[in-house]
Amino acid sequence: MTVESRQLEPRLTQSIVAGNPTGDSYIIHFPQGDAGGPCIYSGNARYLIEGNGGLTFQILADCGKLRRGYNYMICRLDPSFRCTEAPWWYFRDRTYVISKEGVAVNGSAVVPWQDASEAPRLLQNMSEKIQALNQRYSQLTATNTVHGRAISCREYHPETKSYHVWEFPTTCLIKSACDGMPNLDSMRDGDPIDWNSPAGTFVKQQSKATDFSNWLCWIRTQ
């Protein structure tokens, strides 16, 4: 599933100006000779829903007569095409609405699917595939996992461009350990955590951290 777009994501705009070299090459060696060469950004990009249910932003570059895509993960999708996690760092302040018409970012105009006539059928097939993947994963983990709601967090370290991943279960086996446990019944997987909510207070208490400026937290089912 592909949406072609010149709408560039803000944190990537400066690095993908058309005509700028990417810093690498893409060459295929054929029996009759080599194809490709140094890669130059085309200024074009696209949103992809991949076969594993991942929503991806791909920057396109021309490497001689070959085209290369540089993929950046946005989030994992559920069967209704909602993000089941917080968008990754380049996309952390943005929301993505996926419909039969196309993809809308932060309430902007919809960017249409490349093949609009086939979009409803392909989306239905993709939804069924994501559902099947989720069911398979649940069956594989069912015997070893106590299922419940959890708060997942990613703490970003700008100096190393790396993440620390946190998991805070919101189920407890001993009643005395339930003090301060937030009620997440009204929240769906992928919903972000408000730092001023009971769930936000719970994360602060459990993590013992002092600076949450580079944190993203959301709800998920274990």
Side-chain angles (χ1 to χ4, degrees):
M1 297 292 296
T2 306
V3 164
E4 300 282 351
S5 176
R6 283 186 170 273
Q7 172 186 325
L8 300 180
E9 293 288 344
R11 288 185 179 84
L12 295 168
T13 299
Q14 296 304 313
S15 62
I16 58 176
V17 175
N20 281 1
T22 68
D24 60 2
S25 297
Y26 183 46
I27 298 176
I28 298 178
H29 300 288
F30 293 103
Q32 65 272 26
D34 295 343
C39 298
I40 307 296
Y41 288 122
S42 67
N44 294 322
R46 58 189 179 186
Y47 295 98
L48 302 176
I49 300 179
E50 310 218 34
N52 61 2
L55 178 62
T56 300
F57 184 68
Q58 186 179 78
I59 301 165
L60 302 177
D62 296 315
C63 313
K65 293 183 178 180
L66 299 177
R67 173 167 281 196
R68 186 173 187 178
Y70 294 81
N71 283 21
Y72 296 84
M73 180 71 176
I74 296 175
C75 69
R76 296 284 175 195
L77 300 170
D78 68 10
S80 63
F81 302 109
R82 293 178 73 255
C83 283
T84 61
E85 60 182 0
W88 284 85
W89 193 256
Y90 288 116
F91 316 98
R92 63 183 179 132
D93 301 325
R94 299 169 73 69
T95 58
Y96 299 84
V97 176
I98 297 167
S99 66
K100 293 180 180 179
E101 286 71 39
V103 178
V105 184
N106 277 13
S108 64
V110 173
V111 184
W113 296 111
Q114 193 171 29
D115 189 344
S117 63
E118 284 290 291
R121 180 183 65 81
L122 292 173
L123 281 173
Q124 179 62 34
N125 290 345
M126 185 65 70
S127 176
E128 293 170 359
K129 183 180 291 186
I130 295 172
Q131 181 68 37
L133 286 170
N134 289 349
Q135 289 175 348
R136 184 181 179 189
Y137 176 77
S138 297
Q139 291 167 358
L140 290 172
T141 59
T143 57
N144 300 315
T145 305
V146 177
H147 291 283
R149 309 303 298 284
I151 300 173
S152 292
C153 298
R154 286 194 297 262
E155 179 188 7
Y156 181 63
H157 299 281
E159 64 281 359
T160 59
K161 296 184 178 180
S162 62
Y163 294 90
H164 180 86
V165 178
W166 300 74
E167 287 285 335
F168 303 100
T170 60
T171 55
C172 51
L173 301 177
I174 303 173
K175 189 172 182 180
S176 61
C178 295
D179 293 341
M181 197 75 72
N183 187 327
L184 307 178
D185 291 347
S186 63
M187 301 187 74
R188 298 176 58 183
D189 283 6
D191 284 352
I193 294 298
D194 181 350
W195 291 114
N196 296 318
S197 70
T201 300
F202 177 71
V203 169
K204 292 176 182 178
Q205 292 171 344
Q206 294 294 310
S207 68
K208 305 294 194 298
T210 56
D211 181 5
F212 295 91
S213 59
N214 287 332
W215 283 56
L216 286 172
C217 299
W218 66 97
I219 302 298
R220 80 178 186 90
T221 301
Q222 292 178 312

